[in-house]
Amino acid sequence: MDTREFGSTGYDVTEIGLGTWNVGPSWGDASDEECREAIRTALDDGVNLIDTAEVYGDGRAERLINDVLEERDPDRRIYVPTKAAPDADGGHSEEGLRSSVQGSLDRLGVDSLDLVQLHCPETAAFYEPETFDVLEDLRDEGMIEHAGVSVEKVEEATKAIEYDVVETVQIIFNPFRQRPAERFFERAKNEDVGVIVRVPLASGLLADVFEAPEDFGEGDHRRTAAEEGVDAGVGRKGGETFAGVPFEAGLQAVEELRPFVPEGATMAQFTLRWILDHDAVSTVIPGSTTPAHVSENDDAADLDPLSHQTHGAVRDIYEEHVAEHVHHRW
């Protein structure tokens, strides 16, 4: 799999990585061994970046990643970005950040973390320089190698990269969430900021495998959002479930996207290829605990870039069915 420069970190990361949010309970049940096998599959496919967070399964994802990496050749460089959860007030205190970093060090079994990202704090946190001073201290002390942010809004991404310590931004971007390409990517590229794309498949909508709320299991946050409205989903104002798009509007948009999927490719692969066609993107992190889905996602990196006409059609479908729900919110 091809790699791309990861901003100013000095890392070269695979175009497709693996996200591990799915190990948490809000996605349904998956055994530890199923989760490990998904991670093994990604690594076997050549993936060299596994993204995680302390809150994914209350530390479970980090522990399982450690399990798998202990089986592997220690000379093969695998990058494991993780995320520090905000405090109860939505910000990041020094005590909270230090506790988060130490917990991740312990669970991942390493002496220094490759990359620590602030995990979607409230917007106000990006206007508190003291938080970013702590990240600098953690880096200078050797507890972390690099620092970044995971954000809900383009405004937060733009503000975050004003701080020199921030070398990467993780943001939602896909055919249903196009504002980052319009308002952030050019600046990120010019300032040598690495971009991780999260929620690339809009919680599975852009995998084109769901037709009704009943397709989701009990306890799955997507079923709640499909039945009760997107605001009932997870993330700020439900902005992470289905990328913030109402379920029915998303289904209609997917139907209109189908004719543009290349022959022999899946909707999920088409979506990931569309994302990778934006050269400001360093890596995209679809998540799955099903090895076959992991391999399918990884194969998307081998697809040819999409045509200008296809990109234009995707934009038209976005503007007709999706933009009113998400464009100015995020």
Side-chain angles (χ1 to χ4, degrees):
M1 190 184 297
D2 288 341
T3 61
R4 298 185 180 188
E5 293 182 1
F6 194 25
S8 59
T9 65
Y11 301 160
D12 290 322
V13 297
T14 46
E15 291 182 326
I16 294 179
L18 179 69
T20 58
W21 183 15
N22 303 62
V23 308
S26 62
W27 292 86
D29 294 328
S31 70
D32 285 357
E33 187 56 25
E34 287 172 321
C35 296
R36 291 190 195 99
E37 193 57 31
I39 297 167
R40 293 184 188 113
T41 299
L43 297 178
D44 290 343
D45 287 346
V47 165
N48 75 354
L49 182 142
I50 311 293
D51 181 83
T52 190
E54 65 171 325
V55 299
Y56 293 169
D58 194 22
R60 180 186 182 212
E62 292 178 326
R63 289 189 290 269
L64 295 175
I65 292 168
N66 184 21
D67 289 347
V68 174
L69 292 183
E70 285 187 339
E71 305 167 356
R72 298 279 162 157
D73 179 357
D75 293 331
R76 182 187 171 197
R77 189 68 164 94
I78 305 298
Y79 301 104
V80 185
T82 191
K83 307 181 200 73
D87 300 334
D89 64 359
H92 285 278
S93 66
E94 178 170 3
E95 179 182 7
L97 269 174
R98 288 187 175 276
S99 176
S100 292
V101 167
Q102 188 59 58
S104 292
L105 287 168
D106 294 341
R107 289 185 292 271
L108 288 167
V110 295
D111 296 324
S112 183
L113 299 175
D114 296 328
L115 170 67
V116 166
Q117 305 154 94
L118 304 183
H119 199 171
C120 298
E122 294 289 337
T123 303
F126 295 91
Y127 294 84
E128 296 176 356
E130 299 83 0
T131 298
F132 299 89
D133 291 342
V134 175
L135 291 174
E136 289 187 351
D137 291 342
L138 292 167
R139 183 191 61 194
D140 293 344
E141 294 166 19
M143 297 182 73
I144 68 174
E145 297 297 321
H146 302 280
V149 295
S150 182
V151 302
E152 299 281 8
K153 297 182 177 183
V154 170
E155 172 196 347
E156 297 163 353
T158 303
K159 181 62 182 176
I161 64 174
E162 292 181 6
Y163 301 98
D164 290 342
V165 71
V166 174
E167 297 183 80
T168 68
V169 170
Q170 185 168 153
I171 194 166
I172 298 175
F173 177 63
N174 58 49
F176 289 175
R177 284 281 282 272
Q178 297 193 28
R179 196 167 190 240
E182 176 185 300
R183 307 286 294 182
F184 176 66
F185 281 178
E186 183 175 359
R187 181 174 173 187
K189 186 177 179 182
N190 290 340
E191 299 190 21
D192 202 16
V193 172
V195 174
I196 302 175
V197 170
R198 67 190 184 96
V199 196
L201 301 179
S203 308
L205 261 182
L206 283 165
D208 196 14
V209 292
F210 302 113
E211 297 180 353
E214 294 74 28
D215 292 338
F216 305 105
E218 294 291 344
D220 190 317
H221 69 95
R222 296 172 295 181
R223 181 165 187 159
T224 303
E227 291 177 337
E228 300 179 18
V230 71
D231 286 349
V234 299
R236 209 176 306 161
K237 298 180 180 178
E240 298 193 7
T241 307
F242 308 135
V245 179
F247 186 61
E248 293 299 329
L251 291 177
Q252 181 62 44
V254 165
E255 183 174 343
E256 297 200 16
L257 286 171
R258 287 193 193 113
F260 300 98
V261 176
E263 185 177 356
T266 66
M267 179 69 75
Q269 291 171 330
F270 165 78
T271 298
L272 296 171
R273 182 66 256 174
W274 181 91
I275 293 167
L276 290 173
D277 283 350
H278 296 79
D279 59 6
V281 172
S282 306
T283 187
V284 54
I285 52 168
S288 178
T289 54
T290 303
H293 292 165
V294 172
S295 286
E296 175 188 313
N297 293 337
D298 295 340
D299 287 344
D302 296 329
L303 294 179
D304 291 333
L306 304 173
S307 68
H308 292 299
Q309 292 85 350
T310 296
H311 277 276
V314 172
R315 181 68 187 188
D316 289 344
I317 292 166
Y318 171 76
E319 290 179 348
E320 181 177 356
H321 296 286
V322 173
E324 66 178 298
H325 303 292
V326 298
H327 196 76
H328 295 294
R329 297 184 78 183
W330 308 109

